[in-house]
Amino acid sequence: QKEVEQDPGPLSVPEGAIVSLNCTYSNSAFQYFMWYRQYSRKGPELLMYTYSSGNKEDGRFTAQVDKSSKYISLFIRDSQPSDSATYLCAMKRSGGSNYKLTFGKGTLLTVNP
Amino acid sequence: NAGVTQTPKFQVLKTGQSMTLQCAQDMNHNSMYWYRQDPGMGLRLIYYSASEGTTDKGEVPNGYNVSRLNKREFSLRLESAAPSQTSVYFCASSAIYFAGTSGRLDTQYFGPGTRLTVL
């Protein structure tokens, strides 16, 4: 079983839809959870991060972490064509000198006007 | 602030040729990373440098070497390129900071990437 699983999509939605992106993981040591957005032919950019369980909201974006189920989600409300990108989840263990992130393979999202 | 910069943006090599990918950051970050991104494989860590003077292998280090030249610069070298090294290469940097109840965070900032083709 891979440490992080992410449905690659592609996911196509109409403008204004609510989008749900998800990742599951197997390593219970993960404490930090991040979502990166990557536009075509660009580098990933950090969108949101969450420490441990709970929700975090930033504008139209909400990140949720359910550690009991080893499941994280990113919700996008009122989706816009400019949200069309690949979304990568990433996770990290806590403590010590552990700097490494473990990434999902990414979900390609297209928002149609 | 340029953030993380990478050169070159594109490169075509023949099998057996060597080259060095350059990366620099102006954010005073301690840690730097090299990833490769392939279709269906996601981002995979090649090497990282937790601080100036140290380097460590990541998930897929074979065929690569790195040099942490100073705090700003981290280069990736392919000594004898192979078609399997055709990929998009990303450099990233990060700094650890304390963020209240969120604990200790280590967010990585990525460069624009180098598209490498090995024929």
Side-chain angles (χ1 to χ4, degrees):
Chain A
Q1 182 186 9
K2 293 194 185 303
E3 276 196 303
V4 179
E5 300 271 9
Q6 184 175 9
D7 187 338
L11 185 60
S12 181
V13 301
E15 183 175 354
I18 296 174
V19 176
S20 173
L21 303 166
N22 311 293
C23 288
T24 59
Y25 63 95
S26 58
N27 190 341
S28 57
F30 288 138
Q31 293 286 341
Y32 298 98
F33 303 92
M34 285 146 274
W35 287 95
Y36 282 81
R37 178 175 61 196
Q38 185 176 21
Y39 291 116
S40 181
R41 296 184 171 267
K42 301 289 186 186
E45 57 177 336
L46 181 65
L47 195 58
M48 296 192 71
Y49 63 83
T50 310
Y51 173 68
S52 194
S53 283
N55 294 358
K56 187 170 184 179
E57 189 172 318
D58 184 2
R60 297 184 295 110
F61 298 90
T62 300
Q64 286 186 350
V65 175
D66 181 350
K67 291 189 69 181
S68 62
S69 302
K70 295 189 177 68
Y71 188 86
I72 70 169
S73 301
L74 177 70
F75 297 96
I76 307 174
R77 291 183 300 280
D78 187 25
S79 56
Q80 303 295 308
S82 58
D83 295 328
S84 297
T86 296
Y87 290 80
L88 303 157
C89 63
M91 306 177 190
K92 190 175 86 70
R93 292 175 287 171
S94 65
S97 60
N98 185 0
Y99 303 94
K100 289 184 268 192
L101 295 181
T102 302
F103 284 88
K105 293 182 180 179
T107 299
L108 178 61
L109 170 68
T110 300
V111 181
N112 301 299
Chain B
N1 250 3
V4 180
T5 56
Q6 292 183 236
T7 55
K9 286 187 170 56
F10 303 92
Q11 185 71 48
V12 178
L13 293 178
K14 293 180 180 176
T15 298
Q17 286 185 316
S18 62
M19 79 160 295
T20 299
L21 281 64
Q22 306 286 354
C23 173
Q25 53 92 7
D26 62 1
M27 296 176 283
N28 201 34
H29 286 170
N30 289 320
S31 304
M32 298 185 73
Y33 312 79
W34 276 105
Y35 292 88
R36 60 179 290 174
Q37 187 175 39
D38 304 289
M41 300 296 291
L43 278 162
R44 293 182 292 170
L45 183 65
I46 304 171
Y47 270 94
Y48 70 103
S49 171
S51 61
E52 188 179 353
T54 68
T55 59
D56 285 287
K57 294 179 181 179
E59 187 183 350
V60 287
N62 291 344
Y64 305 95
N65 286 302
V66 291
S67 294
R68 183 74 183 267
L69 304 169
N70 48 54
K71 191 171 185 178
R72 290 186 64 247
E73 298 172 290
F74 189 36
S75 63
L76 179 72
R77 182 159 178 84
L78 287 71
E79 291 291 351
S80 178
S84 61
Q85 293 178 305
T86 293
S87 187
V88 182
Y89 290 85
F90 289 101
C91 177
S93 70
S94 71
I96 296 174
Y97 62 96
F98 290 92
T101 56
S102 294
R104 194 177 79 171
L105 297 176
D106 174 24
T107 54
Q108 295 186 16
Y109 297 86
F110 285 79
T114 294
R115 291 182 173 273
L116 175 67
T117 301
V118 183
L119 302 174

